[in-house]
């Protein structure tokens, strides 16, 4: 039995544009899934959805130096190009775009995109100041290269999704930004390329992040409307796990990430914690009347 065809790999902006110009001239739609590679079923779910909703699906794999801080894991970021190609093929992707850093940034960039306000300054923005501007810049550039009708992002990176939605709206980019549900391990841990950094003990400890979010959501469902108390509930849950080093837990307005207290409307609970070398983030949605 043979598997699905390997997606074709394109490494230059010019070659990808030529190919996609032809696709668009044929009135076929382009769906786009930007990634940093070391793909897992979470990425796979984005590609599958893109394949259901578009004629041609482009998956980019680019470990974007702009979105890593000076002491972060840029050089250590896990890579497995062969496995990535197989996963994209099985999920129904057609084209893999794997540019080098010099292809993407032949000269140091002088133009960057940064989304202002609470949306990008808090949480990941506060912990990793260069991260979201790096993401916003590369995503805008990739949109310019790929020209997709639809682009797919995981809710797993909720703040990133909110930032991308906002920049696409603010800059009137002709792309529909689509958020996709987080794919999890059976014990609740959100799939992440960075889970590869976890030792066996840390792997056992890591689902505490999801349990903490669940505890916060349960407290809200039981009638709690105080944001500090819900944060406390989540923080206490994380504190039960000695291998977890808490960065933040919070509950905010889902779309704007603005503080809400008392809690009402569409809410998002978000958490970040370190387990040894791995910094893991996760989030969960809920509502309060
Ligand atoms: P990354 O390769 O980590 O930059 O992720 C590429 C895309 O996959 C982003 O839009 C992520 O939000 C999304 N993603 C990562 N993990 C998951 C997951 N567990 N479930 C769904 N989407 C995910």
């Amino acid at each position: 039995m043979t598997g699905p065809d390997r997606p074709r790999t394109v490494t230059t902006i010019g070659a990808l544009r030529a190919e996609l110009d032809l696709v668009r001239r044929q009135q076929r739609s382009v769906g786009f899934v930007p990634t940093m590679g070391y793909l897992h079923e979470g990425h796979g779910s984005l590609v599958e959805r893109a394949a259901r909703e578009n004629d041609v699906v482009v998956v980019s794999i680019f470990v974007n130096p702009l979105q890593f801080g000076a002491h972060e894991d840029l050089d250590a970021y896990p890579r497995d190009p062969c496995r990535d190609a197989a996963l994209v093929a099985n999920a129904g992707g057609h084209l893999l775009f794997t540019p080098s850093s010099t292809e993407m940034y032949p000269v140091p960039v002088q133009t960057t995109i940064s989304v202002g306000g609470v949306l990008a300054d808090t949480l990941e923005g506060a912990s990793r100041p260069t991260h979201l501007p790096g993401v916003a810049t590369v995503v805008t550039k990739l949109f310019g290269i790929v020209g997709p009708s639809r682009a797919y992002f995981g809710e797993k990176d909720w703040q990133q999704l909110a930032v991308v939605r906002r920049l696409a709206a603010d800059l009137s980019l002709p792309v529909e930004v689509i958020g996709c549900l987080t794919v999890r391990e059976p014990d609740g841990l959100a799939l992440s390329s960075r889970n590869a950094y976890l030792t066996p003990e840390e792997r056992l400890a890591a689902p505490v992040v999801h349990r903490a979010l669940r505890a916060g959501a349960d407290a809200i469902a039981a009638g709690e409307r105080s944001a500090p108390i819900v944060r406390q509930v989540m923080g206490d849950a994380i504190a039960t796990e000695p291998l977890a080093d808490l960065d933040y837990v919070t509950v905010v307005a889902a779309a704007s990430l603005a503080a809400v207290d008392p809690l009402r409307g569409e809410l998002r609970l978000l958490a970040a914690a370190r387990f040894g070398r791995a910094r893991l983030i996760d989030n969960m949605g809920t509502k309060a009347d």
Side-chain angles (χ1 to χ4, degrees):
M1 217 167 81
T2 55
D5 286 344
R6 284 282 157 121
R8 219 142 36 71
T9 299
V10 179
T11 57
T12 67
I13 295 171
L16 187 70
R17 278 215 176 108
E19 186 122 0
L20 295 175
D21 281 348
L22 183 66
V23 168
R24 281 183 291 264
R25 273 204 298 280
Q26 296 166 335
Q27 310 293 320
R28 294 156 78 208
S29 60
V30 176
F32 178 44
V33 181
T35 81
M36 298 205 300
Y38 209 69
L39 304 180
H40 49 63
E41 287 309 316
H43 301 107
S45 73
L46 271 52
V47 179
E48 281 166 14
R49 174 140 181 219
R52 283 197 299 276
E53 299 179 353
N54 301 275
D55 299 313
V56 172
V57 173
V58 181
V59 178
S60 64
I61 296 181
F62 179 59
V63 182
N64 172 38
L66 289 190
Q67 70 192 67
F68 286 76
H71 303 292
E72 293 184 354
D73 56 343
L74 173 63
D75 294 331
Y77 199 82
R79 287 159 219 252
D80 191 342
C82 284
R83 201 170 54 111
D84 287 351
L87 189 141
V88 169
N90 285 322
H94 304 99
L95 278 172
L96 258 180
F97 178 50
T98 59
S100 64
S101 281
T102 44
E103 177 69 11
M104 288 292 276
Y105 305 120
V107 293
V109 275
Q110 283 181 257
T111 308
T112 56
I113 303 288
S114 75
V115 175
V118 173
L119 196 55
D121 290 348
T122 54
L123 309 174
E124 292 305 290
S127 294
R128 306 175 67 198
T130 56
H131 175 65
L132 288 168
V135 169
T137 302
V138 80
V139 166
T140 305
K141 189 172 164 83
L142 287 166
F143 284 175
I145 294 167
V146 176
S149 308
R150 300 181 193 86
Y152 298 81
F153 292 82
E155 288 188 352
K156 151 81 168 49
D157 300 282
W158 182 261
Q159 190 173 13
Q160 167 176 287
L161 171 60
V163 161
V164 172
R165 279 193 202 288
R166 186 64 199 236
L167 78 84
D170 284 350
L171 302 178
S172 303
L173 303 182
V175 56
E176 189 186 345
V177 175
I178 296 171
C180 303
L181 293 178
T182 300
V183 177
R184 298 177 181 283
E185 300 282 5
D187 61 9
L189 177 65
L191 299 192
S192 166
S193 307
R194 290 191 167 101
N195 292 350
Y197 299 149
L198 297 169
T199 64
E201 295 73 30
E202 289 160 359
R203 170 63 189 83
L204 286 175
V208 75
V209 177
H210 181 247
R211 285 202 301 279
L213 294 166
R214 178 89 280 149
D218 287 349
I220 295 169
E224 184 56 65
R225 291 294 178 269
S226 156
I229 292 179
V230 172
R231 284 199 298 271
Q232 180 78 46
V233 166
M234 291 191 281
D236 288 350
I238 298 220
T240 61
E241 180 43 72
L243 292 179
D245 181 10
L246 179 65
D247 184 344
Y248 61 76
V249 279
T250 195
V251 52
V252 291
S256 67
L257 269 55
V260 213
D261 193 31
L263 296 170
R264 68 192 147 72
E266 295 284 342
L267 302 169
R268 207 78 193 177
L269 304 119
L270 300 104
R274 227 172 239 296
F275 297 78
R277 278 176 68 210
R279 182 174 179 280
L280 304 184
I281 60 171
D282 200 354
N283 65 85
M284 186 179 288
T286 192
K287 253 191 231 188
D289 308 323

